[in-house]
Each structure stands twice: as C-alpha cells, then as structure tokens.
C-alpha cells in the first residue's frame, strides 16, 4: 500500500537495538566471527528465525547487544535507524534506548548516550530537529527536503537495580537540552518487580520528564493495576489485561502504544482479528500504531498501518486520521505539535 508509505506518520514506540537493519547485524556478526568472538553461522540462524516467543526475543536482544554495544556501532545504528524511519515519511520519532555501562570497554551510561547523539548528528539524508525551540528551514537548493523531529526516551531495563534506574533518570535530566524527553520501563516482563523502579519513576515525573511503561505483556494483573494507578503519560502494549484492568485503563484514558506485528510474532496475542486494537479504536481510546522493534520483527511503520488497514477494514481517511491523532500524545512541546499538524494538513490535500 503505497499511501501507507507516503503519508506522514508519528512513531512513539521504537527500541534502538530492536530496529537495526539485518544487513548491519550480519556485517557486525561477520566481523566478530572473524575475530573469533562469536560463531557467525549460529548468529545467522538466530537472526533469520521468523517467529519467536517473547522469551526468545529477549535472548535475541542479548545477542544483538553483543554485536552492537561499542561506541562507534551505537553511533552507526542510531544514524541508520533515524534515516530508515525518515525514508518512510515518519515526521516525528521518539526513539528509546537503554543506556548501558560496560567498564571493560570504557563505556558509561553517559558515553553510550553521547554515542547515540553523535549518530543522530551524523544523519545527512534528511533534516533533523531535536532542539526544543530551533525549527530549521528545510529546503536545500530550492527543493524541499524531508524533515524529521527526533526525541529520545531513556529506557530502564527490568533487570536493573533501583540505583541504576535512578542513574538513568539523572542522565535523562542532564541531557534534556539534547532532546531527551522521558523515561521508558521495558525489558523482559517476567523479570524483576516494578516496585524496584518506582522511586526512580516518581523522581522522573516530579522533575517533569514524561513516563511510558511497558504494561501487560504478560498477565500480571497486580502489576498492571499498580501501573495504571501510577498514571503514566502513555503505556506500551496493554495485551493481557483482565476486565477490571481494562475498565481502569479506559477510564484513566492513558494513551496506548499499539505494536501489532510484535504482539503477533511473540504470541502475546494469538491472532490479529482478536487484537485489542479493535476495542480501543471503537471506544475512541487514545492510541498510536508503532513498530516496537522493526528489525527484530521485520516490519516498518508503513507496514503496521497497512496491516491495520487490511486486518480491520479501515480506509485511507481513517488511517490518516489515526496517524494525525498520535500528535496529541507525543512528548514534545506545543510548537512541535503545531508544526506537525501543519505537515498533516498539507499532506491531506494530496490524499486522493
Ligand atoms: C519489552 C522490549 C521489547 O534499549 O538496547 N525491548 N522490552 N518488551 C518488548 N517487546 C518485544 N522490545 C525491546 O533496545 C533493546 C531493548 O529494548 C527492550 C529490551 O530491554 C531490549 O533489550 P535497547 O536500544
């Protein structure tokens, strides 16, 4: 569906290391294979596997992190991920990543994020904007260039300690001027206890950072209830809610980041026709279609729009409206929202 690619889109749930091109992963694996750090064919088999359970996905992330986690590679994948989103007309991207510390290569959470920022600044195929105020004139040689707003969310991994989570929040505060706008809680949902991260999440919110939580990837109703009662600015997934938590979510009107392909591939939802998107969409609950990990799940944001359109019989106009509605839930200021609305207004005229 060509129009899914050409229409402007807003991406609110994308993990950096889940969005690496397969070709890049292979190239990195080949180099590490030659050095004897890994066995290339083992990696090849894992990367090419199509369907994996949620549990297997987290094993894959451990492997991806071995391939990607040095400063220059982090810079490279950040650049590529932003360029890939821009190339399919994503006009606003919130990219999330877990700052990692690795003493053996002299990496601190700060230096990891500096490498991310370097990748962001290296983007050349498209104009990027991250300064909260500085809008750029996006024409080169009289022709309009694509432009993408990029904001960053720092993820806390559920394997981390309270102190490590607090360090991530303090880093986010330090990097606010560079476009870091919020905190995400993610990682294997069967690992850790969400209460571990509560002090850091509360502190983040008090300091004015936005919060989004992975919520309900597994049916832990007590945790889901506590997360809803925390009133995060958004949640991701919302798959395994019981009736009571579903009612709570709807009455709290917390926007939901919906990741269709991810949920189906990880078997969190057994089939697309029973996906909770339908219920939320019909109820006009705030929601945004997102990719989650476009590399790991071989998808794209256009692909997610195409899938929703065909699975739920929605037309171009409805899909366009859905994309535009996501502007309401972005973690950026009103100036950015206004600019994005103008972008959508200009694009709607081209919609036939
Ligand atoms: C929960 C996920 C996830 O941060 O290293 N992540 N957490 N559920 C998911 N659904 C499938 N997909 C990705 O990107 C990879 C990390 O993002 C989180 C995991 O913690 C994973 O290690 P970064 O850039």
């Amino acid at each position: 569906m060509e129009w899914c690619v050409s229409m402007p889109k807003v991406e609110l749930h994308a993990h950096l290391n889940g969005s690496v091109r397969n070709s890049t992963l292979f190239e990195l694996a080949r180099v590490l294979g030659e050095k004897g750090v890994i066995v290339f064919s083992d990696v090849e088999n894992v990367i090419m596997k199509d369907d994996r359970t949620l549990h297997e996905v987290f094993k894959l992330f451990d492997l991806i992190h071995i391939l990607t986690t040095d400063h220059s590679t982090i810079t490279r994948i950040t650049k590529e991920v932003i360029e890939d989103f821009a190339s399919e007309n994503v006009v606003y991207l919130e990219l999330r990543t877990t700052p990692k510390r690795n003493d053996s290569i002299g990496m601190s959470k700060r230096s990891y994020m500096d490498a991310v920022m370097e990748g962001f600044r290296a983007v050349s195929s498209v104009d990027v904007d991250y300064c909260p105020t500085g809008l750029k004139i996006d024409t080169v040689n009289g022709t309009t260039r694509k432009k993408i707003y990029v904001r960053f969310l720092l993820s806390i991994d559920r394997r981390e300690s309270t102190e490590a989570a607090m360090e991530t929040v303090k880093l986010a505060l330090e990097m606010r001027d560079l476009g870091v706008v919020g905190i995400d809680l993610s990682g294997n949902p069967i690992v850790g206890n969400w209460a571990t991260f509560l002090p850091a999440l509360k502190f983040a919110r008090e300091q004015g950072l936005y919060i989004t939580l992975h919520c309900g990837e597994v049916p832990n109703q007590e945790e889901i209830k506590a997360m809803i009662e925390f009133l995060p600015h958004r949640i991701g997934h919302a798959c395994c809610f019981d009736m009571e938590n579903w009612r709570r979510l709807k009455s709290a009107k917390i926007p939901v980041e919906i990741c269709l392909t991810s949920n189906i591939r990880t078997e969190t939802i057994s089939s697309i026709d029973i996906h909770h998107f339908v219920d939320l969409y019909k109820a006009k609950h705030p929601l945004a279609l997102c990719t989650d990990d476009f590399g790991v799940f071989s998808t794209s944001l256009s692909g997610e729009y195409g899938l929703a359109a065909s699975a739920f019989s929605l037309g171009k106009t409805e899909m366009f409206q859905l994309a535009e509605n996501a502007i309401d839930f972005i973690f950026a200021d009103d100036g950015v929202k206004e600019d994005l609305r103008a972008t959508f207004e200009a694009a709607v005229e081209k919609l036939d």
Side-chain angles (χ1 to χ4, degrees), residues 13-19 54 57-58 61-62 64-65 68-69 74 77 96-100 112 155-159 184-189 214 217 237 259 262-263 266 268 292-293 296-297:
H13 188 134
H15 298 269
L16 173 62
N17 277 281
S19 308
L54 194 58
V57 163
F58 290 102
F61 281 126
D62 287 342
I64 292 175
H65 289 144
T68 59
T69 310
I74 289 299
I77 63 171
R96 56 186 77 188
T97 193
T98 321
K100 295 166 189 71
Y112 175 98
S155 301
I156 296 168
D157 187 317
R158 295 181 64 113
R159 288 178 290 197
D184 155 56
L185 176 65
S186 53
N188 191 338
H214 280 61
E217 278 190 284
H237 297 292
C259 309
S262 163
N263 296 160
T266 57
T268 314
D292 204 7
D293 300 288
V296 167
F297 299 121

Side-chain angles (χ1 to χ4, degrees), residues 75-86:
T75 297
R76 172 185 175 173
I77 63 171
T78 304
K79 174 178 185 288
E80 289 179 355
V81 168
I82 294 171
E83 289 182 343
D84 287 351
F85 275 119

Side-chain angles (χ1 to χ4, degrees), residues 130-233:
Y130 68 97
C131 292
T133 47
L135 287 185
K136 285 195 222 143
I137 306 291
D138 45 344
T139 55
V140 172
N141 299 330
T143 53
T144 305
R145 294 224 314 157
K146 282 185 183 173
K147 175 173 156 184
I148 184 168
Y149 281 97
V150 182
R151 297 291 184 270
F152 295 94
L153 306 178
L154 303 198
S155 301
I156 296 168
D157 187 317
R158 295 181 64 113
R159 288 178 290 197
E160 291 186 282
S161 63
T162 305
E163 293 69 37
M166 196 60 97
E167 191 190 340
T168 296
V169 172
K170 288 185 180 152
L171 179 58
L173 291 170
E174 239 175 80
M175 300 188 83
R176 266 178 154 173
D177 288 350
L178 297 169
V180 174
V181 290
I183 296 291
D184 155 56
L185 176 65
S186 53
N188 191 338
I190 60 169
V191 171
N193 182 335
W194 109 284
T196 307
F197 312 107
L198 210 46
L201 293 169
K202 278 186 179 156
F203 177 65
R205 192 165 56 188
E206 278 160 23
Q207 296 297 312
L209 288 168
Y210 290 96
I211 312 281
T212 178
L213 305 173
H214 280 61
C215 178
E217 278 190 284
V218 291
N220 180 345
Q221 301 307 329
E222 232 172 84
E223 179 178 281
I224 294 170
K225 176 172 183 278
M227 283 183 169
I228 298 172
E229 285 172 352
F230 177 75
L231 291 179
H233 299 93

Side-chain angles (χ1 to χ4, degrees), residues 283-313:
K284 295 193 174 5
H285 188 91
L287 61 88
L289 289 182
C290 305
T291 52
D292 204 7
D293 300 288
F294 77 68
V296 167
F297 299 121
S298 310
T299 185
S300 61
L301 194 54
S302 316
E304 295 302 297
Y305 274 80
L307 177 61
S310 63
F312 311 124
S313 305

